[in-house]
Amino acid sequence: IVLSDIGYQAKIEGKRKEAIQLYKESLSFNHKYWNAHYNLGVAYGEMSNWSRATMYYKLSLEFNPQCAMAFNNLGVIEKTLGNFEKAIEYYNKAMEVNPKFAQTLNNIGVVYMMQGNIELAFTNFTKALAEDPNYVEAYNNIGILYRDEADFIDRSP
């Protein structure tokens, strides 16, 4: 655990390669340490290495199936790759684990917005704000809807 914590600190300091090495070293002592797998997923995701990020997120879920963030981040990867249906599947799994997860609600809204389903996008953004009134990204996304979707503005209360 200590090596993983030191790895996290290294990542915060921008030393991603050192962090990856420390996370992997921590797994040599306990290969079931889900948090090290999760943090490897984050590190590889930040490097846009989607296949490795996916592998480590899935490993983290193998050892901690209640990690809503891992499901959420798998959804982000799938959305980034244009696999919207798969993204929604992962987001729904995150919501099963944590039904009040504002970030995932927002991310679901983003997928719907990208698909042109403005009503569902707006619904999910407002649900995100109901769970976390300070979730700035949801406000931003609602602003994008109002800016870009003239039809939506005409239908809004």
Side-chain angles (χ1 to χ4, degrees), residues 46-155:
E46 289 173 350
M47 297 165 60
S48 300
N49 187 332
W50 308 127
S51 61
R52 282 198 182 188
T54 297
M55 177 185 75
Y56 282 111
Y57 286 135
K58 286 181 177 180
L59 281 168
S60 75
L61 288 166
E62 187 176 316
F63 301 115
N64 179 8
Q66 298 301 306
C67 183
M69 280 299 300
F71 284 122
N72 180 75
N73 292 354
L74 285 165
V76 170
I77 290 169
E78 294 299 336
K79 176 190 61 110
T80 301
L81 297 174
N83 302 325
F84 299 135
E85 298 304 317
K86 190 73 174 167
I88 294 290
E89 287 176 31
Y90 281 124
Y91 292 146
N92 286 336
K93 288 179 182 181
M95 295 307 298
E96 287 172 20
V97 173
N98 182 358
K100 297 178 180 259
F101 196 0
Q103 183 179 5
T104 298
L105 287 163
N106 181 71
N107 289 343
I108 292 169
V110 169
V111 170
Y112 286 133
M113 185 167 60
M114 292 172 80
Q115 293 177 318
N117 192 332
I118 305 309
E119 311 292 340
L120 278 176
F122 183 79
T123 297
N124 279 278
F125 297 147
T126 55
K127 284 181 183 178
L129 290 172
E131 296 304 335
D132 181 357
N134 297 313
Y135 195 71
V136 176
E137 285 187 52
Y139 285 110
N140 183 63
N141 289 328
I142 289 171
I144 291 169
L145 289 180
Y146 279 104
R147 182 192 71 199
D148 295 348
E149 301 297 333
D151 292 341
F152 177 73
I153 294 170
D154 294 340
R155 294 189 306 262

